[in-house]
Amino acid sequence: MSNISQGPPASFLLVGIPGLEAFHSWLSVPFCCMYVMALLGNASLLLIIESDRSLHQPMFLFLCILAVTDLGLSTSIAPKMLAILWVDAREIDLDACLAQIFFLPAFTAMESGVLLAMAFDRYVAICAPLRYGTLLTPRLVAKVTLALVVRAVVIVVPFPLLVRRFQHFRSNVIAHRYCEHMALVKLVRGDTTANNLYGLILSLSVSGLDIAGISSSYALILRTVWRLPSREAQRKAFGTCGAHISIILVFYVPGLFSFLTHRFGHRVPQPVHIILSVLYLLVPPMFNPLVYGAKTKQIRTRVLKLFFLAKGTS
Protein backbone atom coordinates (compact mmCIF):
# COMPACT_ATOMS: atom_id res chain seq x y z
CA MET A 1 0.00 0.00 0.00
CA SER A 2 1.44 3.32 -1.02
CA ASN A 3 0.24 6.22 1.13
CA ILE A 4 -0.87 9.41 -0.61
CA SER A 5 -0.76 12.40 1.66
CA GLN A 6 -2.11 15.19 -0.53
CA GLY A 7 -3.71 15.63 -3.94
CA PRO A 8 -5.37 12.96 -6.04
CA PRO A 9 -2.92 10.32 -7.28
CA ALA A 10 -1.97 10.40 -10.94
CA SER A 11 -2.76 6.70 -11.18
CA PHE A 12 -4.19 3.82 -9.19
CA LEU A 13 -3.28 0.16 -8.82
CA LEU A 14 -5.93 -2.51 -9.30
CA VAL A 15 -5.21 -5.65 -7.30
CA GLY A 16 -7.27 -8.15 -9.31
CA ILE A 17 -8.62 -10.79 -6.93
CA PRO A 18 -6.87 -10.53 -3.55
CA GLY A 19 -5.76 -13.89 -2.22
CA LEU A 20 -6.14 -15.63 -5.57
CA GLU A 21 -3.15 -14.13 -7.37
CA ALA A 22 -1.66 -17.58 -7.97
CA PHE A 23 -4.77 -18.53 -9.94
CA HIS A 24 -5.01 -15.41 -12.09
CA SER A 25 -3.92 -17.24 -15.25
CA TRP A 26 -6.51 -19.96 -14.74
CA LEU A 27 -9.26 -17.49 -13.88
CA SER A 28 -8.53 -15.54 -17.05
CA VAL A 29 -9.66 -18.48 -19.21
CA PRO A 30 -13.40 -18.43 -18.36
CA PHE A 31 -13.50 -14.63 -18.26
CA CYS A 32 -11.81 -14.40 -21.66
CA CYS A 33 -14.22 -16.98 -23.10
CA MET A 34 -17.19 -15.02 -21.75
CA TYR A 35 -15.89 -11.77 -23.30
CA VAL A 36 -15.20 -13.37 -26.68
CA MET A 37 -18.63 -15.00 -26.70
CA ALA A 38 -20.22 -11.64 -25.81
CA LEU A 39 -18.39 -9.93 -28.68
CA LEU A 40 -19.17 -12.60 -31.27
CA GLY A 41 -22.75 -13.16 -30.13
CA ASN A 42 -23.81 -9.53 -30.02
CA ALA A 43 -21.95 -8.58 -33.20
CA SER A 44 -23.60 -11.51 -35.01
CA LEU A 45 -26.99 -10.47 -33.69
CA LEU A 46 -26.51 -6.95 -35.02
CA LEU A 47 -25.38 -8.22 -38.44
CA ILE A 48 -28.31 -10.65 -38.72
CA ILE A 49 -30.93 -8.03 -37.85
CA GLU A 50 -29.31 -5.36 -40.03
CA SER A 51 -29.10 -7.65 -43.07
CA ASP A 52 -32.70 -8.92 -42.91
CA ARG A 53 -35.32 -6.21 -43.52
CA SER A 54 -38.07 -8.48 -42.19
CA LEU A 55 -36.45 -8.13 -38.76
CA HIS A 56 -36.61 -4.33 -38.78
CA GLN A 57 -39.46 -4.40 -36.26
CA PRO A 58 -39.62 -2.71 -32.84
CA MET A 59 -38.82 -5.88 -30.89
CA PHE A 60 -35.67 -6.52 -32.92
CA LEU A 61 -34.69 -2.84 -32.92
CA PHE A 62 -34.77 -2.93 -29.12
CA LEU A 63 -32.73 -6.11 -29.32
CA CYS A 64 -30.13 -4.24 -31.40
CA ILE A 65 -29.96 -1.53 -28.74
CA LEU A 66 -29.52 -4.22 -26.10
CA ALA A 67 -26.69 -5.80 -28.14
CA VAL A 68 -24.87 -2.46 -28.50
CA THR A 69 -25.29 -1.86 -24.75
CA ASP A 70 -23.91 -5.33 -23.99
CA LEU A 71 -20.88 -4.69 -26.21
CA GLY A 72 -20.20 -1.44 -24.37
CA LEU A 73 -20.75 -2.99 -20.94
CA SER A 74 -18.42 -5.94 -21.47
CA THR A 75 -15.75 -3.85 -23.23
CA SER A 76 -15.75 -1.34 -20.36
CA ILE A 77 -14.40 -3.98 -17.99
CA ALA A 78 -12.93 -6.99 -19.80
CA PRO A 79 -9.79 -5.65 -21.59
CA LYS A 80 -8.24 -4.10 -18.48
CA MET A 81 -9.30 -7.01 -16.31
CA LEU A 82 -7.68 -9.53 -18.67
CA ALA A 83 -4.52 -7.40 -18.83
CA ILE A 84 -4.28 -7.64 -15.04
CA LEU A 85 -4.73 -11.41 -15.10
CA TRP A 86 -2.35 -12.04 -18.01
CA VAL A 87 0.53 -9.56 -17.62
CA ASP A 88 -0.13 -7.99 -14.20
CA ALA A 89 -0.87 -4.60 -15.83
CA ARG A 90 -2.42 -3.24 -12.65
CA GLU A 91 -1.81 0.49 -13.12
CA ILE A 92 -4.63 2.70 -14.40
CA ASP A 93 -4.40 6.48 -14.64
CA LEU A 94 -6.90 8.74 -12.93
CA ASP A 95 -8.81 9.76 -16.06
CA ALA A 96 -9.19 6.14 -17.22
CA CYS A 97 -10.38 5.19 -13.74
CA LEU A 98 -12.98 7.97 -13.75
CA ALA A 99 -14.06 6.86 -17.24
CA GLN A 100 -14.73 3.35 -15.91
CA ILE A 101 -16.65 4.82 -12.99
CA PHE A 102 -18.86 6.58 -15.55
CA PHE A 103 -19.29 3.98 -18.30
CA LEU A 104 -19.93 0.88 -16.20
CA PRO A 105 -22.99 2.24 -14.32
CA ALA A 106 -24.12 4.13 -17.43
CA PHE A 107 -24.25 0.96 -19.53
CA THR A 108 -25.86 -0.88 -16.62
CA ALA A 109 -28.58 1.77 -16.32
CA MET A 110 -29.01 1.67 -20.11
CA GLU A 111 -29.47 -2.10 -20.07
CA SER A 112 -32.05 -1.88 -17.31
CA GLY A 113 -33.93 0.75 -19.29
CA VAL A 114 -33.85 -1.31 -22.48
CA LEU A 115 -35.31 -4.30 -20.61
CA LEU A 116 -38.13 -2.03 -19.42
CA ALA A 117 -38.75 -0.85 -23.00
CA MET A 118 -38.79 -4.45 -24.22
CA ALA A 119 -41.35 -5.31 -21.51
CA PHE A 120 -43.58 -2.53 -22.84
CA ASP A 121 -43.08 -3.90 -26.36
CA ARG A 122 -44.29 -7.34 -25.21
CA TYR A 123 -47.23 -5.73 -23.39
CA VAL A 124 -48.44 -3.95 -26.53
CA ALA A 125 -47.85 -7.02 -28.71
CA ILE A 126 -50.00 -9.25 -26.47
CA CYS A 127 -52.53 -6.87 -24.92
CA ALA A 128 -53.12 -4.57 -27.92
CA PRO A 129 -51.92 -6.50 -30.99
CA LEU A 130 -54.10 -4.56 -33.46
CA ARG A 131 -52.47 -1.29 -32.38
CA TYR A 132 -48.91 -2.64 -32.26
CA GLY A 133 -47.87 -1.19 -35.63
CA THR A 134 -49.33 2.23 -34.93
CA LEU A 135 -48.08 2.54 -31.34
CA LEU A 136 -44.57 1.12 -31.65
CA THR A 137 -43.09 2.81 -34.70
CA PRO A 138 -39.36 3.10 -35.51
CA ARG A 139 -39.67 6.79 -34.68
CA LEU A 140 -40.94 5.95 -31.18
CA VAL A 141 -38.16 3.40 -30.73
CA ALA A 142 -35.61 6.11 -31.62
CA LYS A 143 -37.19 8.53 -29.12
CA VAL A 144 -37.20 5.89 -26.37
CA THR A 145 -33.55 5.08 -27.09
CA LEU A 146 -32.57 8.74 -26.91
CA ALA A 147 -34.45 9.13 -23.62
CA LEU A 148 -32.67 6.08 -22.16
CA VAL A 149 -29.26 7.43 -23.22
CA VAL A 150 -30.00 10.84 -21.70
CA ARG A 151 -31.24 9.22 -18.49
CA ALA A 152 -28.12 7.07 -18.18
CA VAL A 153 -25.78 10.03 -18.76
CA VAL A 154 -27.60 12.42 -16.43
CA ILE A 155 -27.84 10.04 -13.47
CA VAL A 156 -24.27 8.71 -13.77
CA VAL A 157 -22.33 11.95 -14.44
CA PRO A 158 -22.30 12.81 -10.69
CA PHE A 159 -20.29 9.65 -9.89
CA PRO A 160 -16.93 10.80 -11.38
CA LEU A 161 -17.62 14.38 -10.34
CA LEU A 162 -18.22 13.36 -6.71
CA VAL A 163 -14.95 11.41 -6.74
CA ARG A 164 -12.96 14.08 -8.60
CA ARG A 165 -13.63 16.67 -5.88
CA PHE A 166 -11.53 14.77 -3.33
CA GLN A 167 -7.89 15.75 -2.91
CA HIS A 168 -6.77 13.40 -0.14
CA PHE A 169 -6.55 9.60 -0.46
CA ARG A 170 -5.27 7.05 2.05
CA SER A 171 -3.83 4.90 -0.73
CA ASN A 172 -3.78 4.50 -4.49
CA VAL A 173 -4.40 0.74 -4.33
CA ILE A 174 -7.97 -0.24 -5.27
CA ALA A 175 -8.98 -3.64 -3.91
CA HIS A 176 -10.89 -4.54 -7.03
CA ARG A 177 -10.51 -5.69 -10.63
CA TYR A 178 -11.82 -2.44 -12.05
CA CYS A 179 -12.48 1.12 -10.90
CA GLU A 180 -15.71 0.77 -8.99
CA HIS A 181 -17.21 3.86 -7.38
CA MET A 182 -17.53 2.57 -3.81
CA ALA A 183 -14.15 0.80 -3.92
CA LEU A 184 -12.52 4.13 -4.76
CA VAL A 185 -14.58 6.06 -2.20
CA LYS A 186 -13.23 3.79 0.54
CA LEU A 187 -9.75 5.24 -0.12
CA VAL A 188 -10.84 8.83 0.42
CA ARG A 189 -9.79 10.93 3.39
CA GLY A 190 -12.86 13.04 4.01
CA ASP A 191 -16.62 13.05 4.25
CA THR A 192 -18.03 10.59 1.71
CA THR A 193 -21.65 10.79 2.87
CA ALA A 194 -22.80 12.31 -0.43
CA ASN A 195 -21.13 9.51 -2.42
CA ASN A 196 -22.61 6.79 -0.23
CA LEU A 197 -26.13 8.22 -0.27
CA TYR A 198 -26.16 9.00 -3.97
CA GLY A 199 -24.90 5.54 -4.87
CA LEU A 200 -27.48 3.83 -2.66
CA ILE A 201 -30.41 6.02 -3.71
CA LEU A 202 -29.53 5.73 -7.39
CA SER A 203 -29.20 1.95 -7.27
CA LEU A 204 -32.50 1.49 -5.46
CA SER A 205 -34.48 4.09 -7.41
CA VAL A 206 -33.37 3.28 -10.96
CA SER A 207 -33.48 -0.50 -10.59
CA GLY A 208 -36.59 -0.27 -8.41
CA LEU A 209 -38.53 1.86 -10.90
CA ASP A 210 -37.48 -0.29 -13.86
CA ILE A 211 -38.36 -3.52 -12.05
CA ALA A 212 -41.72 -2.02 -11.03
CA GLY A 213 -42.41 -1.09 -14.65
CA ILE A 214 -41.43 -4.54 -15.90
CA SER A 215 -43.52 -6.24 -13.21
CA SER A 216 -46.55 -4.09 -14.07
CA SER A 217 -46.21 -4.93 -17.77
CA TYR A 218 -46.07 -8.64 -17.07
CA ALA A 219 -48.95 -8.46 -14.60
CA LEU A 220 -51.11 -7.00 -17.37
CA ILE A 221 -49.74 -9.57 -19.84
CA LEU A 222 -50.64 -12.42 -17.48
CA ARG A 223 -54.14 -11.06 -17.01
CA THR A 224 -54.63 -10.90 -20.78
CA VAL A 225 -53.11 -14.33 -21.42
CA TRP A 226 -55.32 -16.07 -18.83
CA ARG A 227 -58.36 -14.68 -20.62
CA LEU A 228 -57.41 -16.27 -23.94
CA PRO A 229 -59.86 -19.01 -24.95
CA SER A 230 -57.45 -21.89 -25.59
CA ARG A 231 -54.32 -23.32 -24.03
CA GLU A 232 -52.60 -23.21 -27.40
CA ALA A 233 -53.15 -19.46 -27.64
CA GLN A 234 -51.88 -19.06 -24.08
CA ARG A 235 -48.80 -21.12 -24.86
CA LYS A 236 -47.99 -19.03 -27.95
CA ALA A 237 -48.43 -15.80 -26.01
CA PHE A 238 -46.13 -16.97 -23.24
CA GLY A 239 -43.67 -18.21 -25.86
CA THR A 240 -43.18 -14.70 -27.22
CA CYS A 241 -42.08 -13.58 -23.74
CA GLY A 242 -39.76 -16.48 -22.89
CA ALA A 243 -36.53 -14.93 -24.16
CA HIS A 244 -37.24 -11.58 -22.51
CA ILE A 245 -38.07 -13.15 -19.14
CA SER A 246 -34.87 -15.18 -19.31
CA ILE A 247 -32.61 -12.17 -19.85
CA ILE A 248 -34.46 -10.22 -17.13
CA LEU A 249 -33.62 -12.96 -14.64
CA VAL A 250 -30.01 -13.21 -15.86
CA PHE A 251 -29.54 -9.44 -15.46
CA TYR A 252 -31.39 -8.67 -12.23
CA VAL A 253 -30.85 -11.77 -10.07
CA PRO A 254 -27.00 -11.71 -10.10
CA GLY A 255 -27.12 -7.91 -9.85
CA LEU A 256 -29.35 -8.01 -6.80
CA PHE A 257 -27.19 -10.67 -5.16
CA SER A 258 -24.01 -8.70 -5.91
CA PHE A 259 -25.59 -5.49 -4.56
CA LEU A 260 -26.77 -7.14 -1.34
CA THR A 261 -23.46 -8.86 -0.65
CA HIS A 262 -21.58 -5.62 -1.34
CA ARG A 263 -23.79 -3.49 0.90
CA PHE A 264 -24.67 -5.91 3.68
CA GLY A 265 -22.56 -9.05 3.30
CA HIS A 266 -19.66 -7.93 5.46
CA ARG A 267 -18.75 -11.54 6.25
CA VAL A 268 -18.59 -12.55 2.59
CA PRO A 269 -14.91 -12.93 1.53
CA GLN A 270 -13.62 -10.13 -0.67
CA PRO A 271 -12.72 -12.46 -3.59
CA VAL A 272 -16.37 -13.57 -3.68
CA HIS A 273 -17.49 -9.92 -3.84
CA ILE A 274 -15.18 -9.25 -6.78
CA ILE A 275 -16.01 -12.41 -8.73
CA LEU A 276 -19.76 -11.79 -8.31
CA SER A 277 -19.44 -8.21 -9.57
CA VAL A 278 -17.43 -9.34 -12.60
CA LEU A 279 -19.93 -12.11 -13.43
CA TYR A 280 -22.77 -9.60 -13.12
CA LEU A 281 -21.14 -7.49 -15.85
CA LEU A 282 -20.00 -10.31 -18.16
CA VAL A 283 -22.67 -13.02 -17.96
CA PRO A 284 -25.64 -10.99 -19.35
CA PRO A 285 -23.73 -9.75 -22.45
CA MET A 286 -22.65 -13.35 -23.13
CA PHE A 287 -26.03 -14.90 -22.36
CA ASN A 288 -28.43 -12.48 -24.11
CA PRO A 289 -27.60 -13.31 -27.75
CA LEU A 290 -27.62 -17.03 -26.94
CA VAL A 291 -31.10 -16.76 -25.41
CA TYR A 292 -32.56 -14.76 -28.27
CA GLY A 293 -30.83 -16.96 -30.83
CA ALA A 294 -32.34 -20.08 -29.27
CA LYS A 295 -35.80 -18.81 -28.32
CA THR A 296 -36.64 -16.40 -31.17
CA LYS A 297 -37.80 -18.26 -34.27
CA GLN A 298 -36.89 -15.53 -36.77
CA ILE A 299 -33.31 -15.22 -35.53
CA ARG A 300 -32.89 -18.97 -35.11
CA THR A 301 -34.06 -19.53 -38.71
CA ARG A 302 -31.70 -16.86 -40.01
CA VAL A 303 -28.74 -18.35 -38.12
CA LEU A 304 -29.50 -21.82 -39.48
CA LYS A 305 -29.72 -20.46 -43.03
CA LEU A 306 -26.34 -18.76 -42.67
CA PHE A 307 -24.84 -21.92 -41.17
CA PHE A 308 -26.04 -24.20 -43.96
CA LEU A 309 -25.08 -21.62 -46.58
CA ALA A 310 -21.55 -21.45 -45.19
CA LYS A 311 -21.45 -25.25 -44.95
CA GLY A 312 -22.62 -25.61 -48.55
CA THR A 313 -19.98 -23.24 -49.92
CA SER A 314 -17.13 -24.88 -47.99
Side-chain angles (χ1 to χ4, degrees):
M1 298 281 286
S2 49
N3 294 322
I4 308 297
S5 59
Q6 186 174 0
S11 63
F12 291 91
L13 296 176
L14 299 166
V15 300
I17 305 180
L20 297 179
E21 289 83 359
F23 301 98
H24 274 186
S25 297
W26 291 102
L27 289 170
S28 70
V29 175
F31 290 134
C32 182
C33 290
M34 281 188 266
Y35 180 51
V36 171
M37 289 177 67
L39 292 180
L40 293 177
N42 287 289
S44 300
L45 205 58
L46 289 170
L47 288 174
I48 288 171
I49 295 174
E50 192 279 331
S51 62
D52 191 340
R53 293 189 63 84
S54 67
L55 298 180
H56 293 184
Q57 303 170 26
M59 183 181 83
F60 297 105
L61 295 178
F62 282 128
L63 187 54
C64 284
I65 300 164
L66 183 67
V68 171
T69 303
D70 282 336
L71 288 172
L73 182 62
S74 56
T75 302
S76 296
I77 178 178
K80 182 61 181 178
M81 179 186 67
L82 292 174
I84 295 172
L85 297 178
W86 284 338
V87 295
D88 200 35
R90 300 191 300 149
E91 187 173 5
I92 182 170
D93 64 54
L94 177 61
D95 291 334
C97 188
L98 293 176
Q100 270 198 333
I101 288 175
F102 171 78
F103 282 110
L104 285 173
F107 281 121
T108 302
M110 185 71 186
E111 179 135 354
S112 181
V114 174
L115 293 179
L116 173 61
M118 295 173 79
F120 178 72
D121 170 85
R122 291 299 83 206
Y123 161 74
V124 176
I126 293 173
C127 300
L130 298 179
R131 301 179 61 194
Y132 184 80
T134 56
L135 287 176
L136 283 170
T137 62
R139 186 180 183 86
L140 179 62
V141 173
K143 289 181 179 179
V144 170
T145 303
L146 179 60
L148 292 176
V149 171
V150 171
R151 183 188 79 156
V153 171
V154 169
I155 63 177
V156 173
V157 159
F159 277 139
L161 296 180
L162 285 170
V163 172
R164 196 69 176 86
R165 67 195 173 103
F166 293 112
Q167 297 296 312
H168 305 278
F169 289 78
R170 296 185 181 89
S171 169
N172 69 336
V173 179
I174 302 174
H176 217 297
R177 262 187 170 171
Y178 56 88
C179 285
E180 195 264 337
H181 174 246
M182 291 308 301
L184 193 57
V185 167
K186 289 178 181 178
L187 304 179
V188 169
R189 292 181 184 271
D191 185 5
T192 60
T193 303
N195 298 70
N196 295 327
L197 286 177
Y198 187 75
L200 180 61
I201 293 171
L202 185 64
S203 298
L204 294 176
S205 61
V206 173
S207 298
L209 289 174
D210 289 349
I211 291 173
I214 292 170
S215 301
S216 299
S217 295
Y218 273 99
L220 294 172
I221 288 172
L222 283 173
R223 188 182 67 174
T224 300
V225 169
W226 288 126
R227 291 177 178 176
L228 294 176
S230 67
R231 288 190 176 274
E232 181 64 19
Q234 292 176 354
R235 187 187 64 80
K236 287 184 178 180
F238 277 127
T240 64
C241 301
H244 185 240
I245 293 172
S246 297
I247 63 175
I248 288 173
L249 294 175
V250 169
F251 180 73
Y252 283 113
V253 172
L256 178 63
F257 190 66
S258 177
F259 173 79
L260 291 176
T261 55
H262 182 78
R263 291 283 177 177
F264 308 109
H266 303 297
R267 295 184 180 181
V268 178
Q270 189 178 25
V272 176
H273 279 295
I274 295 174
I275 291 175
L276 282 175
S277 63
V278 171
L279 291 176
Y280 167 55
L281 296 173
L282 284 182
V283 170
M286 175 196 71
F287 196 72
N288 292 346
L290 296 177
V291 169
Y292 268 94
K295 288 185 173 291
T296 307
K297 181 180 178 181
Q298 297 95 320
I299 294 177
R300 185 171 66 247
T301 302
R302 180 67 175 169
V303 170
L304 291 174
K305 284 182 179 179
L306 291 175
F307 174 77
F308 285 116
L309 180 62
K311 188 175 180 180
T313 56
S314 61

